[in-house]
Amino acid sequence: MSSEAEQTSEDRRKYEFRKVIEDLKQYEGSGTQLVTIYIPEDKQISSVVEHVTQEHSEASNIKSKQTRTAVQDALTSIKDRLRYYDTFPPERGIVIFSGAIDAGGGQTDMVTKVLESPPDPIQSFRYHCDSEFLTEPLEEMLLDKGLFGLIVLDRREANVGWLKGKRVEPVKSASSLVPGKQRKGGQSAQRFARLRLEAIDNFYQEVAEMANELMVPKRHELDGILVGGPSPTKDEFLDGDYLHHELQDHVIGKFDVSYTDESGLYDLVDAASDALADQEVMKDKKVMEEFFENLHTGDLATYGFEPTRRNLVMGSVDRLLISEDLRNDVCVYECPNDHEEYEVIDSRKSTPKHTCGECGEAAEFQEREDVIEYLMNIAEQRGTETKFISTDFEKGEQLMDAFGGVAGLLRYSTGI
Ligand SMILES: [Zn+2]
């Protein structure tokens, strides 16, 4: 598979996860009876079964009969699902949600959902029983991910590492032999100052080497580099061009942090949160700017469901742009004269009747599908990349409000 195709199927997977999570978040149990289990890939299924069996027997102590039965039913259903797996869960782990949800009017519905191979590996085993399902760890995985290099330093020590999505990963550290500001007796002031500057220079070089070694091989995947430390250390370090020039170009900001040990890496991410948030929508912004430019000055842009669909089918769409807020279904109809017609409706509404736009005959309903999945299916077959655009900035909002949440950047003009 090409990396573009991999990217598309990853986006698709994320979209599918997002939809399931949206559903799960709406559910509520009338008591503490919704069970969520996060299972990392290296956890033996048999030990999970043991854990669930244990919880099942402990649940017999629950006072409310209704809650007790609900929890035990959920656990039984989870055990049933675990039978489908061999020794270990699939790659990156599984998450199981199970419980009796409030269906209104005093009724409950039993819901069990299994999500395999989430976008990120599950870090640790979690058993969670509450009136809501535990979806936050999965939601974090779905946030727009980035890879950022982190460097914190003062004249005494330095740490380098990664920010992967929301996770800080310390990698290497160094400490210096730079002498303090007080010279010892017998040393000339000049000589002391020179030695001290040399030691500082050496240390900056060492820090740069450490960062280069880690980050140069990843320079094409990097979304940016953050540098932190007290003044003037970080400024000296950056102004002195110690870093590999390609890394230097990736520096998106320098930030004041007081600690330069591992905890400094976390402080750096906190201090840079605004810059990181900007960076997150930066990619979306660029694509949308390209779209508007093409819309105003060229003919390599399309928007709205039907024109975009037709372009997609022709294979003329280079990038399909879909608003993250789009929640629509497409209904497909066919009239007696074989005209195929489409209607896009709110996902919560029922399927409308349709009159053929071409011949005016009553058209027969064929099928109904989530509009994003429908378009992504065609995109995948045509080698078109799909990009989800957030509504956290003006042009992203416009995609949703003014263009129906669907648009495309074209490879060539089609006049559609
Ligand atoms: Zn017709």
Side-chain angles (χ1 to χ4, degrees):
M1 223 190 321
S2 76
S3 69
E4 202 171 272
E6 268 168 31
Q7 186 56 43
T8 299
S9 65
E10 197 190 305
D11 279 346
R12 186 197 185 82
R13 199 176 183 77
K14 278 190 182 174
Y15 172 65
E16 284 161 2
F17 271 90
R18 217 165 23 224
K19 266 200 353 187
V20 174
I21 290 170
E22 269 172 26
D23 280 349
L24 290 169
K25 276 168 74 103
Q26 288 171 13
Y27 299 148
E28 231 176 289
S30 50
T32 306
Q33 61 192 41
L34 302 188
V35 178
T36 311
I37 303 186
Y38 283 73
I39 310 171
E41 61 179 16
D42 58 357
K43 179 94 174 166
Q44 286 213 349
I45 294 293
S46 59
S47 81
V48 181
V49 172
E50 246 171 67
H51 190 112
V52 173
T53 309
Q54 181 68 25
E55 293 286 349
H56 192 282
S57 79
E58 277 171 24
S60 59
N61 300 322
I62 297 173
K63 286 203 185 75
S64 147
K65 178 173 184 284
Q66 187 266 331
T67 307
R68 179 172 67 238
T69 314
V71 170
Q72 290 187 327
D73 285 354
L75 291 168
T76 303
S77 166
I78 288 172
K79 262 176 37 176
D80 285 346
R81 292 305 180 100
L82 287 170
R83 282 204 195 109
Y84 293 105
Y85 299 96
D86 297 332
T87 325
F88 290 103
E91 210 184 351
R92 298 192 295 281
I94 42 176
V95 192
I96 308 181
F97 303 88
S98 184
I101 58 163
D102 224 333
Q107 299 291 305
T108 58
D109 265 343
M110 188 69 187
V111 167
T112 302
K113 285 244 189 266
V114 183
L115 290 179
E116 291 185 357
S117 301
D120 280 342
I122 292 164
Q123 299 293 321
S124 52
F125 178 78
R126 277 179 94 159
Y127 175 88
H128 184 91
C129 188
D130 202 346
S131 56
E132 288 168 1
F133 287 122
L134 178 69
T135 53
E136 284 79 10
L138 269 177
E139 284 173 80
E140 276 194 8
M141 293 180 194
L142 295 174
L143 288 173
D144 202 2
K145 301 285 277 295
L147 178 69
F148 293 88
L150 306 176
I151 305 171
V152 288
L153 79 161
D154 57 19
R155 289 169 175 173
R156 301 237 145 237
E157 68 174 342
N159 269 274
V160 296
W162 298 116
L163 173 64
K164 292 178 174 170
K166 296 277 156 186
R167 206 169 69 241
V168 174
E169 208 181 279
V171 179
K172 271 199 242 176
S173 66
S175 50
S176 83
L177 300 169
V178 175
K181 281 183 182 152
Q182 293 300 316
R183 67 191 157 103
K184 289 175 199 133
Q187 247 176 337
S188 90
Q190 245 183 341
R191 181 175 150 74
F192 175 77
R194 185 169 52 78
L195 287 176
R196 189 160 181 277
L197 282 178
E198 258 178 39
I200 291 172
D201 180 62
N202 283 340
F203 183 56
Y204 288 168
Q205 281 183 30
E206 190 189 336
V207 175
E209 261 166 47
M210 188 165 75
N212 291 343
E213 227 168 77
L214 181 69
M215 297 170 198
V216 170
K218 295 261 183 192
R219 64 190 181 282
H220 299 301
E221 295 157 52
L222 270 182
D223 292 300
I225 294 175
L226 308 171
V227 180
S231 293
T233 321
K234 60 179 179 310
D235 313 278
E236 280 174 2
F237 178 72
L238 286 172
D239 296 343
D241 286 335
Y242 291 95
L243 277 178
H244 187 281
H245 65 97
E246 282 193 64
L247 295 189
Q248 193 90 20
D249 292 344
H250 272 103
V251 174
I252 56 171
K254 51 185 182 181
F255 304 88
D256 283 319
V257 299
S258 330
Y259 296 100
T260 53
D261 55 3
E262 267 189 28
S263 76
L265 295 174
Y266 295 87
D267 290 349
L268 174 60
V269 171
D270 283 343
S273 60
D274 285 347
L276 286 169
D278 283 351
Q279 202 70 17
E280 216 166 83
V281 291
M282 198 65 89
K283 285 185 199 162
D284 290 7
K285 275 187 181 162
K286 275 193 190 144
V287 181
M288 283 312 291
E289 263 154 34
E290 201 182 328
F291 169 75
F292 276 100
E293 222 174 272
N294 273 299
L295 194 65
H296 295 314
T297 63
D299 43 14
L300 295 180
T302 187
Y303 61 88
F305 173 80
E306 183 57 14
T308 307
R309 184 194 69 81
R310 284 168 66 194
N311 272 301
L312 268 177
V313 171
M314 285 175 73
S316 59
V317 181
D318 180 53
R319 275 157 293 164
L320 171 65
L321 314 179
I322 293 180
S323 173
E324 273 181 2
D325 286 5
L326 186 67
R327 291 296 174 268
N328 284 344
D329 285 353
V330 57
C331 303
V332 185
Y333 304 86
E334 208 179 271
C335 85
N337 300 316
D338 292 339
H339 299 130
E340 198 170 46
E341 299 245 320
Y342 304 84
E343 226 178 286
V344 176
I345 58 164
D346 190 306
S347 296
R348 291 161 300 189
K349 294 209 169 123
S350 54
T351 309
K353 291 203 183 326
H354 184 86
T355 309
C356 178
E358 266 183 71
C359 64
E361 298 269 354
E364 200 179 321
F365 169 73
Q366 305 291 314
E367 56 170 332
R368 173 173 175 159
E369 199 184 343
D370 179 296
V371 79
I372 296 181
E373 273 169 26
Y374 183 85
L375 292 174
M376 277 184 106
N377 267 335
I378 310 176
E380 260 171 42
Q381 289 162 15
R382 299 290 188 271
T384 299
E385 194 185 344
T386 302
K387 287 200 175 296
F388 284 95
I389 308 290
S390 87
T391 47
D392 293 343
F393 61 107
E394 202 194 335
K395 289 190 166 81
E397 238 173 82
Q398 283 181 327
L399 173 65
M400 186 61 210
D401 298 340
F403 298 95
V406 178
L409 282 161
L410 302 182
R411 296 186 173 115
Y412 50 87
S413 169
T414 59
I416 296 171

